């Protein structure tokens, strides 16, 4: 009696799927398809209105918002970290250290050699941001030196993110237009959260349980 091994069955299934993909590609039109891009672009709002819209969206996502002037950045960041009881925070290598001038705890500079599980020892992380969309309350991180790798803002339970109001756009098309193509972009809309089968909200499952957004209103 012949038996088919699991490996053989897997190989057969893979070949079947790939064969069907090849057949579909062979039947597909050869000419490139023109995708309509008639998005609403170029929308603007006065600073006060963009700030109000973004604040409303962030609060709706259960994030915490801390508006401040550029001169108050260090004081505001320190106040947030103190209120959260954070004594050991991770920071990207390119973060402006002046933002931590009033922080009396330890700031540990991250690097790719640090294993991701060790990031769990941090009380929180402080990063900058690339772009933010007011309409959706979404913060974009693009892996720049002042934002760090994805793991740094994913593993710790607290994320303090500094946003310059000048980088806040009205809508998504305007935000996307400011991004650098090819960069590893992460989109954050509030703290990490999901719902179980009974639609009970559970926070901190896939990332930080707490998101504090420091918005510098004059930058």
């Amino acid at each position: 009696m012949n038996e088919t091994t699991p490996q053989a069955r897997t190989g057969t299934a893979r070949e079947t799927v790939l064969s069907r993909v090849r057949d579909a590609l062979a039947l597909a039109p050869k000419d490139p398809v023109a995708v309509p891009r008639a998005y609403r672009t170029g929308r603007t709002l006065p600073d006060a209105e963009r700030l109000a819209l973004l604040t409303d969206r962030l609060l709706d996502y259960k994030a915490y918002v801390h508006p401040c002037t550029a001169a108050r950045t260090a004081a505001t960041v320190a106040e947030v970290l103190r209120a959260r009881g954070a004594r050991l925070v991770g920071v990207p290598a390119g973060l402006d250290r002046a933002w931590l001038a009033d922080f009396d705890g330890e700031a540990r500079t991250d690097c790719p050699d640090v294993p991701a599980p060790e990031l769990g020892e941090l009380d929180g992380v402080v990063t900058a941001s690339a772009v933010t969309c007011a309409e959706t309350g979404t913060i974009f991180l693009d892996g720049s030196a002042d934002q760090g790798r994805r793991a740094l803002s994913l593993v710790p339970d607290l994320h303090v993110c500094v946003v310059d109001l000048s980088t806040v756009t009205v809508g998504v098309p305007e935000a996307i237009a400011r991004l650098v193509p090819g960069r590893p972009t992460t989109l954050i809309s509030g703290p990490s959260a999901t719902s179980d089968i009974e639609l009970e909200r559970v926070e901190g499952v896939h990332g930080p349980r707490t998101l504090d957004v420091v918005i510098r209103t004059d930058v």
Side-chain angles (χ1 to χ4, degrees), residues 24 36 61 79 119 207:
Y61 284 135
E79 289 166 4
L119 298 175

Side-chain angles (χ1 to χ4, degrees), residues 4 8 12 19 73 95 99 106 121-123 132 145 148 162 170 178:
T4 304
T12 301
S19 176
T73 304
L95 189 77
W99 295 357
E106 178 185 349
E121 301 172 2
L122 301 172
D123 297 322
T132 299
V162 179
V170 175
R178 292 197 181 192

Side-chain angles (χ1 to χ4, degrees), residues 10-26:
T10 300
T12 301
R14 182 185 300 110
E15 287 305 317
T16 299
V17 171
L18 292 176
S19 176
R20 290 177 179 175
V21 170
R22 285 190 289 268
D23 291 343
L25 290 175

Side-chain angles (χ1 to χ4, degrees), residues 67-76 96 98-99 164 215-219:
C68 70
T69 62
R72 285 272 305 162
T73 304
T76 305
D96 187 345
W99 295 357
D164 291 342
I215 304 178
R216 307 203 302 168
T217 57
D218 57 344
V219 179

Side-chain angles (χ1 to χ4, degrees), residues 76-100:
T76 305
V77 170
E79 289 166 4
V80 171
L81 293 174
R82 190 178 304 115
R84 300 296 179 198
R87 301 297 302 164
L88 174 62
V89 298
V91 296
L95 189 77
D96 187 345
R97 286 309 185 97
W99 295 357
L100 298 171

